Amino acid sequence: MSTIKDITSEDEWRAHVASLPKSTLLIISFHAPWAAPCAQMATVLQTLASEYPVTDPPATSWVSLNAEELSDISELYDVTAVPFLVLQRNDEVLETVSGSSAVKVRNAIEAHAKKAGGSGTTTTAAPSTNGGTGGALETTQAAPASAEEVETPADPAKAKEELFKRLGDLVKAAPVMLFMKGTPSAPQCGFSRQVVAILRERSVKYGFFNILADDEVRQGLKEFAEWPTYPQLWMDGELVGGLDIVKEELEGDPDFFKRHSVAKEDGAVVS
């Protein structure tokens, strides 16, 4: 059975990719140690990997990367949230899946693994695209679906409840969470850029979420937070506010971020 290889350096990453035959499906899992959904996804992927035998040449290759420590690789794949899965063959990204849906992950892997094996399956998956927002779009589409996977019309109240539960987990994904337009390396609005600068100047370790990459979060968080604009900064699961509020807090208390500061500069992490 296949196992998941932990990649710990860029040199190891380049060497591993270069060693793979063109036909091998490379399954790349990006994670962050503080994000609880990543631990759940690791279990899912370990189970899935065990279902694929080791062959020569390898039909699949499974790797795991810490999105924080290997930030250059994360940016290469537009990783804006974790867990984040990339399916790649012959240096071509076939599909990405953002989030912790075991069904979507299984469907995506099975679709491309079967294609490689020459199966007559009609299961197809839409290729991932970048919508120009700096964030990968979740475009997994698979058919036919089992009874578990068939989507039924959602009850609005239940859908809202599930969304709010997801948002409640997201705002607590890191002690300091920034919901912004774009990413820290490529902000898509001046207000987001200024908040990033403030956090970096004070060596604050923070997680971020690119709301341009997920419209459900973008719209839902406004109601969840009762705060209609972005960026939004959260600390310990509580809303601080936008740029103006952050500045006001610092004016009143220069040590406002002190307990979340780290020794090294630029303590930004991926969320």
Side-chain angles (χ1 to χ4, degrees):
M1 64 181 184
S2 296
T3 57
I4 301 175
K5 176 181 177 65
D6 286 324
I7 301 293
T8 59
S9 70
E10 291 187 27
D11 288 341
E12 185 180 11
W13 164 254
R14 286 190 288 267
H16 183 78
V17 173
S19 70
L20 297 177
K22 293 182 178 180
S23 60
T24 300
L25 176 65
L26 178 59
I27 297 136
I28 312 163
S29 172
F30 288 93
H31 66 89
W34 44 260
C38 292
Q40 300 169 9
M41 182 52 60
T43 301
V44 170
L45 289 172
Q46 288 168 3
T47 301
L48 289 174
S50 67
E51 298 175 3
Y52 288 79
V54 176
T55 59
D56 187 19
T60 60
S61 176
W62 307 66
V63 298
S64 176
L65 287 78
N66 186 318
E68 297 178 9
E69 296 179 354
L70 300 177
S71 57
D72 287 345
I73 301 175
S74 298
E75 289 189 13
L76 179 65
Y77 287 96
D78 291 328
V79 178
T80 59
V82 289
F84 191 85
L85 193 76
V86 178
L87 302 182
Q88 175 175 303
R89 182 180 286 118
N90 192 24
D91 294 327
E92 178 186 355
V93 174
L94 305 174
E95 187 169 347
T96 64
V97 181
S98 177
S100 55
S101 170
V103 171
K104 289 183 178 180
V105 166
R106 176 182 285 275
N107 284 345
I109 293 172
E110 288 184 349
H112 293 289
K114 289 177 180 178
K115 287 179 183 178
S119 168
T121 178
T122 58
T123 301
T124 60
S128 171
T129 60
N130 188 317
T133 64
L137 302 181
E138 190 175 350
T139 55
T140 307
Q141 298 178 2
S146 67
E148 176 189 3
E149 299 157 8
V150 172
E151 294 187 2
T152 56
D155 180 314
K158 184 176 180 181
K160 182 176 180 179
E161 180 183 349
E162 292 176 352
L163 173 59
F164 274 29
K165 182 180 182 302
R166 180 190 174 198
L167 295 174
D169 291 337
L170 273 178
V171 300
K172 298 175 184 175
V176 179
M177 278 293 297
L178 176 61
F179 292 83
M180 62 180 294
K181 294 181 179 180
T183 66
S185 60
Q188 297 295 308
C189 80
F191 297 125
S192 293
R193 183 178 296 107
Q194 290 184 60
V195 175
V196 167
I198 288 172
L199 295 175
R200 285 180 170 171
E201 286 169 5
R202 289 158 180 80
S203 300
V204 176
K205 186 174 183 179
Y206 65 102
F208 74 90
F209 191 97
N210 178 7
I211 53 97
L212 296 179
D214 191 322
D215 196 58
E216 185 178 49
V217 170
R218 180 181 184 179
Q219 300 302 329
L221 192 59
K222 294 178 183 179
E223 182 179 359
F224 179 83
E226 297 182 353
W227 193 270
T229 59
Y230 292 101
Q232 288 184 18
L233 187 70
W234 292 69
M235 290 176 59
D236 300 317
E238 298 292 334
L239 176 67
V240 175
L243 175 62
D244 290 345
I245 302 300
V246 171
K247 288 182 175 179
E248 288 177 8
E249 292 287 358
L250 287 171
E251 287 176 3
D253 179 10
D255 294 329
F256 183 68
F257 289 116
K258 187 173 182 179
R259 62 195 173 97
H260 294 296
S261 179
V262 293
K264 65 179 181 180
E265 190 168 351
D266 191 5
V269 297
V270 179
S271 69

